[in-house]
Amino acid sequence: MESAHAIDMPESKKANGSGKGKAAVGAPAAAVATTKATPHPRGGWKKGVAIFDFVLRLAAVGAALGATATMGTADEILPFFTQFFQFEAQYDDFEVFMFFVIANGLVSAYLVLSLPFSILCIVRPHAAGPRLLLLIGDTVMMALTIGAAAAAASVVYLAHSGNPNANWLPICQQFGDFCQSTSSAVVASLIAAALLLILIVLSAFALRRRT
């Protein structure tokens, strides 16, 4: 009985030792599985781009509204007149200038309506939907602004220089204030178009560099 008891004790110790060895081998696997960290996305630069976008939109609103108001109030009456004629120049005497006023008015309204979407991009810099909508709208409005400004610039150039081949005399020698107002409106419209171009580049960059 004593020899049997002596044989049983080493077997139990051996079994316990093998169990502890298995537990020691399996423990590090659980520790490795629970120490994996999740990376946090960094989007601070996108918020900075969105803030810059908002500031540029405010500047574009001012430029487009200035172009609309300056062209829409362009009017000059010469101090001399006859019994049957009064020499006056108004923007609505030229269909191109009327198109200019309508186009820049539409651009001004669009830019004002786009401000809430720009604020949404500041609050949620990783949202791609509002940014894509602004990109499409800015592209359309930039094309409209450039078309209106280019058409008006051609008429302003003829008003300043005339065309001797077609016997078109320059009228800015008589209507100096009118020509100055129309020229200023064209410059303001081109500034609005340049700001829209910068906005398009910013939106495309923000959509391209998604994190």
Side-chain angles (χ1 to χ4, degrees):
M1 293 296 293
E2 292 179 358
S3 59
H5 183 70
I7 294 172
D8 292 336
M9 291 300 294
E11 290 179 358
S12 62
K13 289 181 179 180
K14 190 174 182 180
N16 291 336
S18 63
K20 289 180 180 180
K22 292 181 180 179
V25 173
V32 173
T34 56
T35 55
K36 188 176 181 180
T38 57
H40 297 282
R42 296 180 298 173
W45 66 271
K46 280 195 172 184
K47 189 171 184 179
V49 169
I51 294 174
F52 188 48
D53 178 280
F54 181 78
V55 174
L56 287 179
R57 286 184 188 280
L58 290 178
V61 168
L65 282 177
T68 305
T70 303
M71 183 65 79
T73 57
D75 184 12
E76 184 178 3
I77 301 176
L78 296 183
F80 56 88
F81 56 91
T82 64
Q83 183 179 0
F84 302 101
F85 296 101
Q86 184 179 22
F87 300 95
E88 181 180 9
Q90 292 180 325
Y91 84 96
D92 53 1
D93 294 332
F94 304 87
E95 294 183 356
V96 173
F97 290 163
M98 293 179 64
F99 168 70
F100 180 90
V101 171
I102 295 172
N104 282 272
L106 290 175
V107 173
S108 302
Y110 161 78
L111 288 171
V112 172
L113 294 176
S114 69
L115 291 178
F117 293 94
S118 182
I119 296 175
L120 181 61
C121 291
I122 298 176
V123 177
R124 300 179 59 189
H126 292 283
R131 179 65 64 188
L132 181 61
L133 185 63
L134 290 175
L135 176 62
I136 296 173
D138 292 343
T139 304
V140 174
M141 291 298 112
M142 185 193 69
L144 181 61
T145 305
I146 292 177
S154 64
V155 176
V156 170
Y157 174 79
L158 287 176
H160 279 279
S161 303
N163 190 338
N165 296 327
N167 292 326
W168 292 345
L169 299 177
I171 66 172
C172 290
Q173 296 178 358
Q174 292 79 25
F175 298 95
D177 294 338
F178 175 79
C179 290
Q180 184 177 1
S181 297
T182 54
S183 300
S184 300
V186 171
V187 172
S189 182
L190 291 175
I191 293 175
L195 292 174
L196 283 170
L197 178 60
I198 298 175
L199 290 172
I200 292 171
V201 173
L202 286 177
S203 296
F205 179 75
L207 289 174
R208 179 69 179 85
R209 294 288 303 273
R210 294 188 64 184
T211 57

